Amino acid sequence: MTEGTTSAAAAEGADTLTRLEQEGDIAADYLEGLLDIADLDGDIDMDVEGDRASVSIISDAGSRDLQKLVGRDGEVLEALQELTRLAVHRETGDRSRLMLDIAGYRAKKRTELSELGAKAAAEAKSSGEPVKMKPMTPFERKVVHDAVKAAGLRSESEGEEPQRFVVVLPA
Protein backbone atom coordinates (compact mmCIF):
# COMPACT_ATOMS: atom_id res chain seq x y z
CA MET A 1 0.00 0.00 0.00
CA THR A 2 1.09 3.52 -0.61
CA GLU A 3 1.39 6.06 2.16
CA GLY A 4 -1.76 7.86 0.92
CA THR A 5 -3.76 4.64 0.97
CA THR A 6 -2.51 3.82 4.48
CA SER A 7 -3.47 7.23 5.85
CA ALA A 8 -6.87 7.03 4.12
CA ALA A 9 -7.50 3.64 5.74
CA ALA A 10 -6.38 5.03 9.10
CA ALA A 11 -8.70 8.02 8.69
CA GLU A 12 -11.59 5.70 7.82
CA GLY A 13 -10.84 3.58 10.90
CA ALA A 14 -10.73 6.72 13.06
CA ASP A 15 -14.05 7.89 11.56
CA THR A 16 -15.61 4.51 12.38
CA LEU A 17 -14.28 4.68 15.94
CA THR A 18 -15.64 8.23 16.34
CA ARG A 19 -19.03 7.14 14.96
CA LEU A 20 -19.18 4.17 17.35
CA GLU A 21 -18.18 6.37 20.29
CA GLN A 22 -20.97 8.78 19.28
CA GLU A 23 -23.43 5.85 19.24
CA GLY A 24 -22.26 4.90 22.74
CA ASP A 25 -22.75 8.48 23.99
CA ILE A 26 -26.27 8.68 22.55
CA ALA A 27 -27.13 5.27 24.01
CA ALA A 28 -25.72 6.26 27.42
CA ASP A 29 -27.83 9.43 27.49
CA TYR A 30 -30.94 7.47 26.53
CA LEU A 31 -30.29 4.78 29.14
CA GLU A 32 -29.51 7.33 31.88
CA GLY A 33 -32.93 8.87 31.21
CA LEU A 34 -34.52 5.44 31.40
CA LEU A 35 -32.81 4.67 34.72
CA ASP A 36 -34.02 8.02 36.10
CA ILE A 37 -37.61 7.34 35.01
CA ALA A 38 -37.50 3.83 36.51
CA ASP A 39 -35.79 5.19 39.66
CA LEU A 40 -33.02 2.59 39.37
CA ASP A 41 -29.37 3.04 40.29
CA GLY A 42 -26.76 2.03 37.77
CA ASP A 43 -23.53 3.17 36.20
CA ILE A 44 -23.09 3.16 32.47
CA ASP A 45 -19.90 1.83 30.92
CA MET A 46 -19.21 2.41 27.21
CA ASP A 47 -16.73 0.63 24.98
CA VAL A 48 -16.13 -0.23 21.35
CA GLU A 49 -15.81 -3.97 20.70
CA GLY A 50 -14.76 -4.82 17.18
CA ASP A 51 -17.17 -3.10 14.84
CA ARG A 52 -19.91 -2.16 17.32
CA ALA A 53 -20.52 0.08 20.28
CA SER A 54 -21.01 -1.74 23.56
CA VAL A 55 -22.86 -0.24 26.52
CA SER A 56 -23.23 -1.89 29.93
CA ILE A 57 -25.35 -0.91 32.90
CA ILE A 58 -23.74 -2.02 36.14
CA SER A 59 -24.62 -1.44 39.78
CA ASP A 60 -22.54 -1.26 42.94
CA ALA A 61 -25.58 -1.94 45.09
CA GLY A 62 -25.91 -5.44 43.68
CA SER A 63 -27.72 -6.21 40.48
CA ARG A 64 -31.04 -7.27 42.03
CA ASP A 65 -32.75 -4.00 40.95
CA LEU A 66 -31.23 -4.25 37.50
CA GLN A 67 -32.62 -7.78 37.07
CA LYS A 68 -35.95 -6.11 36.29
CA LEU A 69 -34.26 -4.67 33.20
CA VAL A 70 -32.94 -8.10 32.18
CA GLY A 71 -36.22 -9.98 32.54
CA ARG A 72 -36.82 -13.67 32.10
CA ASP A 73 -34.24 -15.18 29.72
CA GLY A 74 -33.07 -11.67 28.80
CA GLU A 75 -36.36 -10.74 27.12
CA VAL A 76 -36.51 -7.24 28.63
CA LEU A 77 -32.81 -6.73 27.86
CA GLU A 78 -33.43 -7.60 24.19
CA ALA A 79 -36.32 -5.11 24.03
CA LEU A 80 -34.25 -2.38 25.71
CA GLN A 81 -31.41 -3.02 23.28
CA GLU A 82 -33.79 -2.53 20.34
CA LEU A 83 -35.22 0.66 21.87
CA THR A 84 -31.69 1.96 22.47
CA ARG A 85 -30.73 1.15 18.88
CA LEU A 86 -33.82 3.07 17.71
CA ALA A 87 -32.82 6.07 19.86
CA VAL A 88 -29.37 6.00 18.24
CA HIS A 89 -30.92 5.67 14.78
CA ARG A 90 -33.21 8.63 15.46
CA GLU A 91 -30.18 10.81 16.36
CA THR A 92 -27.73 9.65 13.70
CA GLY A 93 -29.91 8.44 10.85
CA ASP A 94 -27.77 5.28 10.70
CA ARG A 95 -28.76 1.77 11.72
CA SER A 96 -26.94 0.77 14.91
CA ARG A 97 -25.54 -2.63 15.87
CA LEU A 98 -24.99 -1.49 19.44
CA MET A 99 -24.78 -4.25 22.05
CA LEU A 100 -26.34 -3.68 25.47
CA ASP A 101 -25.52 -5.65 28.62
CA ILE A 102 -27.19 -5.23 31.99
CA ALA A 103 -25.79 -6.53 35.28
CA GLY A 104 -23.34 -8.77 33.39
CA TYR A 105 -26.16 -10.92 31.97
CA ARG A 106 -24.78 -11.06 28.40
CA ALA A 107 -21.20 -11.61 29.54
CA LYS A 108 -22.28 -14.59 31.65
CA LYS A 109 -24.52 -15.88 28.86
CA ARG A 110 -21.67 -15.55 26.33
CA THR A 111 -19.45 -17.78 28.50
CA GLU A 112 -22.19 -20.41 28.89
CA LEU A 113 -22.98 -20.39 25.16
CA SER A 114 -19.30 -20.64 24.17
CA GLU A 115 -19.02 -23.76 26.31
CA LEU A 116 -22.25 -25.14 24.81
CA GLY A 117 -20.95 -24.50 21.27
CA ALA A 118 -17.61 -26.17 22.01
CA LYS A 119 -19.43 -29.18 23.52
CA ALA A 120 -21.69 -29.48 20.43
CA ALA A 121 -18.61 -29.25 18.17
CA ALA A 122 -16.90 -32.03 20.13
CA GLU A 123 -20.04 -34.16 19.83
CA ALA A 124 -20.23 -33.57 16.06
CA LYS A 125 -16.53 -34.45 15.69
CA SER A 126 -16.83 -37.70 17.65
CA SER A 127 -20.16 -38.88 16.19
CA GLY A 128 -19.63 -37.66 12.63
CA GLU A 129 -23.29 -36.56 12.67
CA PRO A 130 -24.77 -33.04 12.59
CA VAL A 131 -25.79 -31.75 16.02
CA LYS A 132 -29.03 -29.73 16.17
CA MET A 133 -29.34 -27.29 19.05
CA LYS A 134 -32.38 -25.73 20.69
CA PRO A 135 -33.87 -22.48 19.28
CA MET A 136 -31.88 -19.37 20.18
CA THR A 137 -31.91 -15.61 19.78
CA PRO A 138 -29.66 -14.04 17.13
CA PHE A 139 -27.14 -13.04 19.85
CA GLU A 140 -27.04 -16.59 21.22
CA ARG A 141 -26.64 -18.14 17.77
CA LYS A 142 -23.76 -15.75 16.94
CA VAL A 143 -21.87 -16.77 20.09
CA VAL A 144 -22.40 -20.49 19.32
CA HIS A 145 -21.32 -20.05 15.67
CA ASP A 146 -18.12 -18.33 16.88
CA ALA A 147 -17.40 -21.15 19.36
CA VAL A 148 -17.96 -23.81 16.69
CA LYS A 149 -15.66 -21.95 14.28
CA ALA A 150 -12.99 -21.72 17.01
CA ALA A 151 -13.29 -25.51 17.40
CA GLY A 152 -12.53 -25.91 13.69
CA LEU A 153 -16.00 -26.88 12.46
CA ARG A 154 -18.79 -25.22 10.50
CA SER A 155 -22.31 -24.43 11.64
CA GLU A 156 -25.40 -22.92 10.12
CA SER A 157 -28.73 -21.57 11.33
CA GLU A 158 -31.96 -23.23 10.26
CA GLY A 159 -35.66 -22.59 10.84
CA GLU A 160 -37.70 -19.43 11.17
CA GLU A 161 -37.69 -16.95 14.05
CA PRO A 162 -38.37 -17.44 16.89
CA GLN A 163 -37.64 -21.16 16.40
CA ARG A 164 -34.34 -20.59 14.54
CA PHE A 165 -31.57 -22.92 15.75
CA VAL A 166 -27.92 -23.82 15.11
CA VAL A 167 -26.81 -27.01 13.42
CA VAL A 168 -23.17 -27.99 13.99
CA LEU A 169 -21.77 -29.84 10.99
CA PRO A 170 -19.13 -32.57 11.29
CA ALA A 171 -15.80 -32.08 9.49
Side-chain angles (χ1 to χ4, degrees):
M1 269 199 284
T2 65
E3 189 173 315
T5 306
T6 304
S7 60
E12 184 178 314
D15 288 348
T16 299
L17 184 61
T18 302
R19 182 179 54 77
L20 294 175
E21 288 169 343
Q22 178 190 18
E23 283 186 17
D25 288 339
I26 294 166
D29 289 344
Y30 176 78
L31 292 166
E32 282 174 5
L34 179 79
L35 289 173
D36 286 345
I37 290 168
D39 196 28
L40 295 172
D41 289 328
D43 295 321
I44 297 180
D45 183 34
M46 296 180 300
D47 200 5
V48 173
E49 294 178 6
D51 60 348
R52 65 174 58 187
S54 175
V55 179
S56 299
I57 301 175
I58 51 179
S59 174
D60 292 336
S63 58
R64 194 171 294 158
D65 277 352
L66 292 181
Q67 289 305 315
K68 297 172 188 171
L69 298 180
V70 173
R72 190 186 62 182
D73 296 328
E75 290 173 336
V76 176
L77 171 58
E78 289 289 334
L80 288 173
Q81 177 175 275
E82 284 307 308
L83 289 171
T84 305
R85 286 176 173 179
L86 286 171
V88 170
H89 181 265
R90 186 184 67 222
E91 292 288 321
T92 64
D94 295 326
R95 184 177 174 278
S96 173
R97 295 182 58 237
L98 176 129
M99 185 64 69
L100 175 63
D101 192 6
I102 299 174
Y105 176 82
R106 273 199 208 278
K108 182 180 173 204
K109 192 79 171 167
R110 180 177 277 126
T111 300
E112 292 169 1
L113 289 165
S114 291
E115 291 169 2
L116 189 65
K119 191 174 167 183
E123 185 181 329
K125 276 183 185 176
S126 67
S127 72
E129 297 292 321
V131 175
K132 292 183 180 181
M133 303 180 79
K134 68 178 183 53
M136 298 179 188
T137 66
F139 162 76
E140 293 169 332
R141 289 193 312 269
K142 168 80 169 98
V143 174
V144 170
H145 285 305
D146 289 347
V148 169
K149 184 177 181 180
L153 292 181
R154 286 185 333 105
S155 59
E156 51 192 41
S157 293
E158 293 183 5
E160 298 294 322
E161 295 292 353
Q163 296 300 313
R164 201 155 166 78
F165 60 93
V166 174
V167 177
V168 181
L169 304 169

